[in-house]
C-alpha cells in the first residue's frame, strides 16, 4: 500500500498510509492527514487514488504544492520516490510491497552529527575491540582504591575503639 512519509527535520518518520480514494492534507485537525507546520495551509491539498495513480490536487494553498520542485497547478500525478513539497514540508511517496511479499528491513541509520574524515582515519576508538566484535570492559581503578580506603578506615576506627576501651579500663 502506498504511503506518504514526511522527510522534513523535526517531523521525520511521520507517515500516512493511503487507504481511501481521497485524503485531505493540511494544518488543521479536520484533515485526514494533519501536518501541524505554519507553512502548510489549513486545507493545503488532496491526495486522490485513481486506479494505480496517486494524484495531487492543490487547494489554492498559500505557499504552494510542488512535485520534485515543479509547482502543481490543478492536478498532477505523484510517482513513488518523488518528493511532494507543501510549503516548507517535504514528503516522499513510497509504494508498499504487494500483499504476501516481505520487504527487506532498511538498515539505514541517521547519525545527527556524523563523523569527520579525521575520525575515520584514526580507526576504532579506545574501548572498542574489533577483533572481539564489540566493546571491551573498561578497567576501573577507582573501585580498587575505594575498597582499600574502606579497609584502612575500618582498621583505624577499630584501633581507636580498642584504645578507648583500654583507657576506660585503666582509669577505673
Amino acid at each position: 500500500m502506498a504511503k506518504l512519509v514526511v522527510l522534513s527535520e523535526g517531523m521525520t518518520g511521520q507517515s500516512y498510509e493511503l487507504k481511501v480514494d481521497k485524503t485531505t492534507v493540511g494544518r488543521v485537525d479536520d484533515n485526514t492527514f494533519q501536518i501541524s507546520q505554519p507553512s502548510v495551509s489549513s486545507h493545503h491539498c488532496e491526495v486522490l487514488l485513481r486506479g494505480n495513480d496517486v494524484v495531487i490536487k492543490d487547494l489554492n494553498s498559500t505557499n504552494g504544492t510542488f512535485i520534485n520542485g515543479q509547482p502543481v497547478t490543478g492536478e498532477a500525478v505523484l510517482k513513488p520516490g518523488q518528493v511532494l513539497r507543501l510549503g516548507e514540508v517535504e514528503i516522499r511517496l513510497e509504494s508498499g510491497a504487494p500483499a504476501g511479499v516481505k520487504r527487506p528491513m532498511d538498515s539505514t541509520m541517521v547519525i545527527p552529527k556524523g563523523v569527520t574524515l579525521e575520525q575515520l582515519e584514526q580507526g576504532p576508538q579506545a574501548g572498542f575491540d574489533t577483533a572481539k566484535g564489540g566493546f571491551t570492559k573498561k578497567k576501573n581503578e577507582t573501585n580498587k582504591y575505594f575498597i582499600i580506603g574502606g579497609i584502612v578506615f575500618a582498621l583505624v576506627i577499630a584501633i581507636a575503639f580498642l584504645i578507648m576501651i583500654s583507657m576506660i579500663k585503666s582509669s577505673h
Side-chain angles (χ1 to χ4, degrees), residues 4 14-35 42-48 59:
L4 299 172
Q14 183 179 351
S15 65
Y16 182 81
E17 285 193 28
L18 300 172
K19 298 177 183 177
V20 293
D21 291 338
K22 177 179 163 183
T23 301
T24 58
V25 182
R27 190 179 65 246
V28 296
D29 61 0
D30 66 348
N31 287 287
T32 316
F33 183 28
Q34 181 185 9
I35 301 175
S42 56
H43 297 98
H44 202 100
C45 69
E46 290 177 347
V47 181
L48 309 166
L59 298 176

Side-chain angles (χ1 to χ4, degrees), residues 10 15 24 31 71 90 132 138 144 157:
S15 65
T24 58
N31 287 287
E90 291 191 335
K132 293 182 181 177
K138 183 178 172 184
K144 186 192 314 182
I157 296 293

Side-chain angles (χ1 to χ4, degrees), residues 79-127:
K79 296 181 178 154
Q82 288 186 320
V83 176
L84 172 67
R85 183 166 52 87
L86 310 177
E88 296 175 7
V89 177
E90 291 191 335
I91 302 168
R92 181 178 54 234
L93 176 65
E94 293 184 357
S95 64
V101 176
K102 284 192 170 185
R103 294 190 314 185
M105 188 172 191
D106 185 7
S107 61
T108 303
M109 283 179 40
V110 176
I111 302 174
K113 180 183 171 197
V115 293
T116 64
L117 182 58
E118 291 81 26
Q119 289 171 322
L120 287 174
E121 289 171 347
Q122 288 174 358
Q125 299 297 313

Side-chain angles (χ1 to χ4, degrees), residues 38-100:
S39 70
V40 176
S41 293
S42 56
H43 297 98
H44 202 100
C45 69
E46 290 177 347
V47 181
L48 309 166
L49 298 180
R50 292 191 183 144
N52 290 331
D53 289 337
V54 175
V55 178
I56 305 299
K57 179 180 178 184
D58 184 68
L59 298 176
N60 297 318
S61 61
T62 305
N63 294 316
T65 302
F66 302 84
I67 296 177
N68 284 354
Q70 300 298 313
V72 173
T73 52
E75 295 182 351
V77 175
L78 178 65
K79 296 181 178 154
Q82 288 186 320
V83 176
L84 172 67
R85 183 166 52 87
L86 310 177
E88 296 175 7
V89 177
E90 291 191 335
I91 302 168
R92 181 178 54 234
L93 176 65
E94 293 184 357
S95 64

